[in-house]
Amino acid sequence: MSKKLCQYNPVDIERYLRETEYTPPFPPGSDRAAWMKLAENLGIEKVKSIFTQAEKDAATPIPPLPASLFLECKRTGQREGYQVPRSARRTMLRSLVFAECLEYSGRFLDPILDLAWAILEESSWDLPAHQLELTDFEHHIIDLGAASTALDLAELDSLLGPVLDSRLGMRIRYEINQRIFIPYLTRHDHWWMYRTEVRDVNNWTAVCTAGVVGSALYLEKDLSRLAEIIARGIRSMDDYLATFDRDGGSTEGPGYWGYGFGFYVVLAHLLEHRTNGKINLFAPEKIHKIAQFPLRTNLSPQVWVNFSDCDRNFTFNAALLAFLARRLDIPALMALAQTQPEHEKRQELAWGLRFMFWMPDQTPLPPFVSARHDWYPEMTWMFSRYDPENPDALSMAVKGGHNAEMHNQNDVGNIIVHLNQESLIADVGRGRYTLQYFGPQRYEFFANSSLGHSVPLPAGFMQKAGREYCAQVLLHESTTESDTLVLEMKNAYPSEAGLSSLQRKVVFHREAPTGWIELEDSFEYTSGSGIFETALTTFSEVDLGENGLLIKGTRGNLRIGYDPAAVQVRVDLYEDVDLSDGLKEVRRIVFEIPEPAHTGKIRLEIVPV
């Protein structure tokens, strides 16, 4: 099979559609045997909680979404004022739909009708951060919110359309056609559709494409038009897959893997079902590697690396992992799925439906065990673990890469050190998303600047954003005794820093009883002398007492060894850093050459104690 998905053309796609009788991919509410069986699988307590929430939502007034609230993002840069009630509407719809499908008595139909009608009456389904202005009805924008809403409404119609007011189904089809299908087929200004010379794609491509094509698979009766929508979508998914490196890694990190690749899987399943397997987006060999990304990027149970704009604390969608485990025959993903809670953060009806019908196997599996070493050569991400079977053992992640990655932060050379299931040397994670966070001031935010990462500052200069600001791999090797990565990082900094070389060497030593990490930064200026410092970022307390430098975690400590005759140490406290999970204190442990020098090095020994 071709490595490209775009081998599928509209003529063949239309033929596949005509050769396959349409059946819904999930049982409609009228299929009582299927929903009664589902209720049995869910269990009494889960079903009871669904009804309790639905009864509460049925009695709750629909949250208002006035125009002035939509404009709050444009006026202040804040997103939550509109997004919170907008999300609440969709969360309420989800619980009401599932309760009606499980009971099928009609008592939730009017609240469903009211909520769905209110969503249809929203002038825009877009998120304000992606549109800013009030809706231009002659130029609908398709963003993450609009595409996901279209899929939710299409699946609502599939589940309960025949028992809801018939005009609701007509309105759903009219609005999705006007807001989604017509703009998709007639315009090329949707930046996320294809890679271009001036812009790459990211998770948006998978999420938006799944919403557009997925809703069309449910609603579009003109098979020629549907084939054209599918063909465009498959071409977009080719570009999305190209964002992964050859080993299946994504610079957006595991959190956005769950979002973007999750919707790739949603669409792949819908297409495979609709064409009786003739369109198979699971076929490329690369898919099997991409699916294993969560298995290769963990630091300890329930903790994953969080480079770039990845949240520090997140869980994977158990339904997604379980589906991939079955579809691609990767048992370790099922073991991981069994440890994940129901994915409460993402409240779309679509994912709730899949959680019910793709739930993990009930028979417990042994926990998956990571490798001692994982390496993504194109992204330049290295993972080292002292004892993968011991969840408290020392582990490490380090990256090279460049500063134009997806959801980029200026973090070439960044390192995370993890002990006792806690990142004591931490990537502080993403900042709170605001309009300014994605604007010209992006790299003025502490979390996005190299000041907010465990990287050097030569001559007082921070790294800059751009593809040319990058690292070169000088050495990578892995043995039973150690893992080593050596990066040349001079190009990550502006020419004004005056570097002829800045090498970072990281060695993960597996010496008993706990292992330890060697971190060495060597610099040389082109001419003259300059100051030089390197730093470690942490959320933990730092002790500079008589026993040496300690990073004090909740369950263990790291001792940082250095040469006090060659290096001065200070701890800079950054208060009220505005991160995705609230205001935090961050400590930046600074190791500085005391006098300007033409060449030199700072060597640290990081040892569990």
Side-chain angles (χ1 to χ4, degrees), residues 151-170:
L151 183 59
D152 277 2
L153 291 171
E155 297 203 314
L156 160 64
D157 184 77
S158 178
L159 293 170
L160 292 172
V163 293
L164 287 162
D165 191 291
S166 62
R167 294 300 176 101
L168 177 65
M170 293 172 62

Side-chain angles (χ1 to χ4, degrees), residues 9 86 128 241 251 298 315 330 335 363 385 425 442 447 478 515 521 534 551 561 577 608:
N9 64 71
R86 178 193 181 280
L241 292 183
T251 60
N298 74 303
T315 58
I330 306 176
T363 303
R385 306 169 184 93
I425 298 173
R442 177 175 177 83
S478 177
D521 291 331
T534 196
I551 300 177
V577 178

Side-chain angles (χ1 to χ4, degrees), residues 480-584:
T480 304
E481 293 77 24
S482 64
D483 300 332
T484 302
L485 180 63
V486 181
L487 302 172
E488 173 56 72
M489 295 172 50
K490 67 177 181 179
N491 289 332
Y493 297 85
S495 59
E496 292 83 355
L499 290 166
S500 62
S501 179
L502 199 176
Q503 292 186 17
R504 165 158 283 193
K505 180 175 76 172
V506 184
V507 185
F508 188 94
H509 297 274
R510 293 193 178 85
E511 296 174 10
T514 61
W516 63 284
I517 297 166
E518 175 185 358
L519 176 63
E520 181 179 287
D521 291 331
S522 304
F523 67 92
E524 181 177 352
Y525 291 110
T526 304
S527 62
S529 300
I531 60 173
F532 185 86
E533 69 177 47
T534 196
L536 303 175
T537 55
T538 183
F539 293 102
S540 302
E541 295 291 332
V542 179
D543 187 348
L544 284 172
E546 296 180 356
N547 295 324
L549 194 162
L550 284 181
I551 300 177
K552 304 177 74 173
T554 57
R555 299 179 58 209
N557 305 328
L558 289 175
R559 174 169 285 119
I560 312 299
Y562 61 94
D563 182 357
V567 176
Q568 295 177 345
V569 181
R570 71 177 190 274
V571 179
D572 295 338
L573 176 63
Y574 293 81
E575 299 181 293
D576 297 335
V577 178
D578 196 4
L579 300 177
S580 61
D581 51 358
L583 298 177
K584 294 287 188 295

Side-chain angles (χ1 to χ4, degrees), residues 25 28 83 124 153 181 249 380 441 464 497 502 528 570 579:
Q83 286 185 192
S124 175
L153 291 171
F181 299 159
T380 323
Q441 312 101 310
K464 296 192 71 173
L502 199 176
R570 71 177 190 274
L579 300 177

Side-chain angles (χ1 to χ4, degrees), residues 318-340:
L320 170 62
L321 298 178
F323 178 88
L324 287 170
R326 298 184 184 105
R327 179 61 183 79
L328 301 178
D329 191 21
I330 306 176
L333 285 176
M334 185 64 74
L336 181 58
Q338 292 178 344
T339 68
Q340 304 302 298

Side-chain angles (χ1 to χ4, degrees), residues 109-130:
L109 290 179
D110 276 353
I112 291 170
L113 174 64
D114 289 340
L115 261 172
W117 199 262
I119 292 171
L120 289 162
E121 297 244 310
E122 293 170 8
S123 293
S124 175
W125 297 333
D126 296 329
L127 301 175
H130 305 152

Side-chain angles (χ1 to χ4, degrees), residues 382-533:
M382 186 176 82
F383 295 84
S384 301
R385 306 169 184 93
Y386 179 73
D387 179 3
E389 295 189 358
N390 178 3
D392 292 332
L394 182 71
S395 62
M396 176 192 77
V398 59
K399 74 179 294 291
H402 60 81
N403 282 333
E405 296 168 345
M406 297 180 293
H407 276 272
N408 178 68
Q409 297 179 357
N410 288 345
D411 61 351
V412 170
N414 193 31
I415 183 172
I416 298 171
V417 179
H418 196 73
L419 179 70
N420 294 317
Q421 305 183 51
E422 180 181 13
S423 292
L424 297 180
I425 298 173
D427 186 309
V428 302
R430 69 172 177 90
R432 183 171 60 91
Y433 283 2
T434 62
L435 188 62
Q436 293 81 7
Y437 188 84
F438 291 100
Q441 312 101 310
R442 177 175 177 83
Y443 296 104
E444 296 175 15
F445 287 85
F446 178 82
N448 297 334
S449 73
S450 55
L451 192 69
H453 295 87
S454 298
V455 299
L457 259 67
F461 285 92
M462 291 191 288
Q463 296 177 15
K464 296 192 71 173
R467 180 64 179 83
E468 67 273 27
Y469 298 99
C470 61
Q472 176 189 0
V473 177
L474 300 181
L475 174 67
H476 167 258
E477 64 179 13
S478 177
T479 67
T480 304
E481 293 77 24
S482 64
D483 300 332
T484 302
L485 180 63
V486 181
L487 302 172
E488 173 56 72
M489 295 172 50
K490 67 177 181 179
N491 289 332
Y493 297 85
S495 59
E496 292 83 355
L499 290 166
S500 62
S501 179
L502 199 176
Q503 292 186 17
R504 165 158 283 193
K505 180 175 76 172
V506 184
V507 185
F508 188 94
H509 297 274
R510 293 193 178 85
E511 296 174 10
T514 61
W516 63 284
I517 297 166
E518 175 185 358
L519 176 63
E520 181 179 287
D521 291 331
S522 304
F523 67 92
E524 181 177 352
Y525 291 110
T526 304
S527 62
S529 300
I531 60 173
F532 185 86
E533 69 177 47

